[in-house]
Amino acid sequence: MSQVHFDSLSRDELIECWTEMIGSAPPPKLRSPMMVKVLTCEQQWQVSGQPRAALVKKLRRLVGETTGGAVPACNGQRLVREWNGVEHTVDITEAGYFWNGKIWRSLSAIAKEITGTKWSGPRFFGVQT
């Protein structure tokens, strides 16, 4: 398939391109703007001529990724997360996690307080504990 500007295509044309490029039908509830993004990415992969696995491995090696994206959390580290336009800063201390003027025993408790729902604290802040 030649270079295509997917954002100018109709939904039916996007589905046709998806089927041709990816080899299966798109998920039924996938909206057109997301299909455009996925197809653009797929087109870039195909134009590069490199196998995905080799390219992903090379990119991970170049950025020094060994932990699947999460960095280890350790004493003295500061974690920053924006949630609904508010920046939240957590300092890791020997006593626990310092946030909002008090020490907390877990990142999950802090994440729950911030979001109002149950979260994995390490996942919310992007760290390994």
Side-chain angles (χ1 to χ4, degrees):
M1 175 175 272
S2 62
Q3 288 290 100
V4 176
H5 296 283
F6 299 106
D7 52 351
S8 64
L9 300 179
S10 70
R11 179 165 179 77
D12 289 336
E13 291 170 322
L14 288 171
I15 291 171
E16 184 179 319
C17 287
W18 183 289
T19 304
E20 181 181 330
M21 293 176 70
I22 297 179
S24 65
K29 294 185 180 183
L30 188 64
R31 296 179 185 262
S32 295
M34 182 56 77
M35 286 175 57
V36 167
K37 291 177 182 181
V38 172
L39 288 170
T40 301
C41 182
E42 179 65 25
Q43 185 176 52
Q44 290 171 350
W45 277 107
Q46 290 181 5
V47 168
S48 76
Q50 295 186 9
R52 281 186 182 82
L55 186 56
V56 169
K57 186 176 180 179
K58 181 178 180 180
L59 289 170
R60 285 188 174 148
R61 190 182 76 247
L62 288 172
V63 298
E65 181 179 305
T66 57
T67 61
V71 295
C74 57
N75 189 22
Q77 188 174 12
R78 175 170 280 177
L79 309 174
V80 180
R81 169 69 195 259
E82 183 180 333
W83 182 260
N84 289 340
V86 178
E87 189 173 276
H88 298 275
T89 303
V90 175
D91 292 316
I92 302 175
T93 67
E94 288 183 16
Y97 302 98
F98 184 77
W99 173 74
N100 214 17
K102 73 178 208 178
I103 298 291
W104 296 72
R105 289 180 38 181
S106 75
L107 286 174
S108 295
I110 296 170
K112 183 175 183 180
E113 186 72 19
I114 291 170
T115 65
T117 187
K118 188 174 181 178
W119 269 80
S120 161
R123 178 170 289 188
F124 181 79
F125 286 101
V127 297
Q128 291 179 345
T129 55

